[in-house]
Amino acid sequence: MNIDVAAAWMIRVFVYKSDRSEEWQILHPNAKDGKLYGDCEDFSLTLLYTIADGSKFKFWFYLVTFQAVMWHCKTDWGSHAQLWFRGKWIDNIDPTWRDKQPHSLSYPYPFPLVAYRMMTYKLSYIQSNILLVAICLIPLIPLVWSYIK
């Protein structure tokens, strides 16, 4: 989908709603009013999913090939997330595509972190931490295997 059309749709339907638990998700319209309720990460993820024409393959392809990157940044209000897509910046504070990012950048969210945060938003705190430890231990499997042999 054209990025301007996707952004225009998001402007019409997105309503900011803080989630203190940092639930990263692709939003779906509310059954009662058709609105999307979420925070800055949800806005970025849902906009990218919309640009990807609702295709999870294209969504992840954009992230894995660095055509799209979510960025953590600082604003006057605190921590924030914004989307960079093929040289353009957008966020829910000022949902218009810009050539220059409007906030001070901190760091990009690499796609494995995005995947992790999206997988764990429904899990409990303990379950998500166990999953994170398991993911971190995966690179050690060859080392342990060679030691055992």
Side-chain angles (χ1 to χ4, degrees):
M1 177 180 286
N2 175 286
I3 64 172
D4 296 318
V5 172
W9 178 75
M10 287 293 290
I11 290 167
R12 283 195 311 275
V13 299
F14 181 79
V15 177
Y16 180 83
K17 182 181 176 194
S18 176
D19 65 358
R20 301 215 186 272
S21 60
E22 290 301 313
E23 298 175 351
W24 290 24
Q25 58 188 318
I26 295 169
L27 301 172
H28 300 285
N30 181 289
K32 292 181 181 177
D33 60 10
K35 298 289 186 182
L36 302 172
Y37 294 92
D39 64 3
C40 53
E41 292 90 2
D42 302 332
F43 176 90
S44 295
L45 293 169
T46 304
L47 178 57
L48 181 59
Y49 186 70
T50 304
I51 292 168
D53 298 316
S55 165
K56 289 183 181 176
F57 176 80
K58 285 173 67 175
F59 172 87
W60 287 109
F61 182 79
Y62 288 146
L63 288 169
V64 170
T65 59
F66 301 102
Q67 294 180 58
V69 178
M70 284 184 54
W71 281 83
H72 175 272
C73 59
K74 298 286 185 185
T75 67
D76 295 339
W77 306 281
S79 294
H80 182 56
Q82 60 185 349
L83 177 66
W84 176 90
F85 183 76
R86 296 181 177 168
K88 301 282 188 180
W89 298 90
I90 194 168
D91 64 4
N92 64 296
I93 294 173
D94 180 13
T96 57
W97 291 103
R98 300 173 296 280
D99 292 326
K100 295 182 180 179
Q101 66 85 23
H103 309 293
S104 59
L105 294 179
S106 296
Y107 52 86
Y109 292 119
F111 71 88
L113 178 59
V114 174
Y116 167 75
R117 295 302 296 266
M118 289 180 73
M119 285 187 324
T120 60
Y121 87 91
K122 288 188 177 181
L123 299 177
S124 71
Y125 178 76
I126 293 171
Q127 289 171 323
S128 64
N129 284 329
I130 290 170
L131 180 59
L132 180 60
V133 169
I135 289 170
C136 291
L137 292 176
I138 288 172
L140 297 177
I141 291 173
L143 179 64
V144 172
W145 183 255
S146 67
Y147 181 74
I148 293 172
K149 287 168 104 181

